[in-house]
Amino acid sequence: MLDVTLITPLGDEYRLTGTDRDSTVLAPYGALQELRANVTRDDQPDPFGTGVTPGSRSYGAIQTEIEFLLKAPMGETLEHIYSRFRQGWVSATQDHPCVFRIESDNPLSPLTFEAVVDGALPGTQVDMSRRTSETVRVPVVCFRGVAQSTLISNEGTTEVYNPGDVPIWVTLRYSGKGGQVTAPSGAKFTLPPAEDGAEQVVSMDSRELRLEGAFPESIPPGESGTWKVPAGVKVQWRVGVADPWG
């Protein structure tokens, strides 16, 4: 089973794997092949000269060009569809990206790739008001490098298992009095009370953590860890997957 939908920041949804009867934007055969993880390994040469010792994997940004087929319904031109499709990509930012939602046989399905235009959209040499179908190529970049699961959320003592391919950095979300947190390593720190009941968000990601006394901590692929949090604190995370297609 495979079903892929493109969702733009404007709220438009295009079923890329549908038919021209149920979607005005489609992905031609093979168009999504390069929407895949960019994997590298830091292998070390074997000292005896026979192969290498496999190193850890890392996932760089995905940069590719994707072809879309735009088709107007019977009796209509392509002008409005093209304009709306283009505006959807132009409006995409890292905070509000275009999203490829992939439903497949993967047990974590649906999984999503977040993408923005890589540089600028190409121009067009045809008058879309005179066309009923046209192919449009969009250069895209997925900065995360992997697909993500839907948001998983739990309160209280929470065991986080990582069946994915990259470390899981949980987020702690609360609006109450805070309290003591115990990380999987046993390290403890305190969440300060939320001011005026405003929701507070603390990311344990090493690139984002700014809470005094707290240190970044993740769950490596294939492992699990337990977070102990005060009442009213949500532990939230997503699983990162290199291959969302099956």
Side-chain angles (χ1 to χ4, degrees), residues 37-48:
N38 178 19
V39 189
T40 58
R41 292 195 314 267
D42 57 347
D43 297 343
Q44 300 298 315
D46 188 288
F48 300 102

Side-chain angles (χ1 to χ4, degrees), residues 11-214:
D12 297 323
E13 296 192 15
Y14 305 106
R15 189 180 175 208
L16 301 181
T17 50
T19 68
D20 55 9
R21 293 188 300 273
D22 58 27
S23 182
T24 55
V25 179
L26 303 169
Y29 180 76
L32 300 174
Q33 284 187 136
E34 296 307 312
L35 196 57
R36 57 178 177 165
N38 178 19
V39 189
T40 58
R41 292 195 314 267
D42 57 347
D43 297 343
Q44 300 298 315
D46 188 288
F48 300 102
T50 54
V52 298
T53 300
S56 59
R57 293 181 177 183
S58 60
Y59 299 88
I62 302 169
Q63 293 176 279
T64 187
E65 186 177 73
I66 298 179
E67 182 179 285
F68 299 93
L69 176 62
L70 278 58
K71 298 199 72 173
M74 182 82 65
E76 297 183 26
T77 63
L78 203 62
E79 188 174 21
H80 173 72
I81 295 168
Y82 173 74
S83 176
R84 187 74 181 180
F85 177 75
R86 188 181 181 93
Q87 288 170 14
W89 278 106
V90 170
S91 66
T93 65
Q94 281 188 256
D95 292 330
H96 301 283
C98 284
V99 175
F100 292 91
R101 185 180 66 213
I102 302 164
E103 297 181 58
S104 69
D105 294 326
N106 190 299
L108 292 170
S109 178
L111 293 153
T112 58
F113 277 119
E114 297 179 347
V116 297
V117 175
D118 191 8
L121 284 175
T124 179
Q125 297 182 12
V126 298
D127 181 358
M128 292 297 177
S129 67
R130 298 174 179 268
R131 310 281 291 189
T132 57
S133 66
E134 186 60 49
T135 296
V136 178
R137 295 179 179 274
V138 179
V140 304
V141 55
C142 304
F143 290 110
R144 290 187 183 276
V146 294
Q148 290 189 298
S149 71
T150 55
L151 184 68
I152 303 169
S153 184
N154 194 56
E155 294 189 29
T157 298
T158 300
E159 182 176 5
V160 179
Y161 171 62
N162 186 357
D165 299 294
V166 295
I168 289 176
W169 303 90
V170 305
T171 294
L172 307 178
R173 189 181 298 269
Y174 68 103
S175 56
K177 62 182 180 180
Q180 187 179 78
V181 174
T182 302
S185 66
K188 294 179 171 61
F189 61 90
T190 300
L191 295 174
E195 296 182 6
D196 301 322
E199 186 175 68
Q200 304 295 306
V201 179
V202 177
S203 171
M204 300 308 297
D205 192 321
S206 58
R207 297 163 293 186
E208 301 173 1
L209 182 60
R210 298 293 182 272
L211 180 63
E212 185 176 353

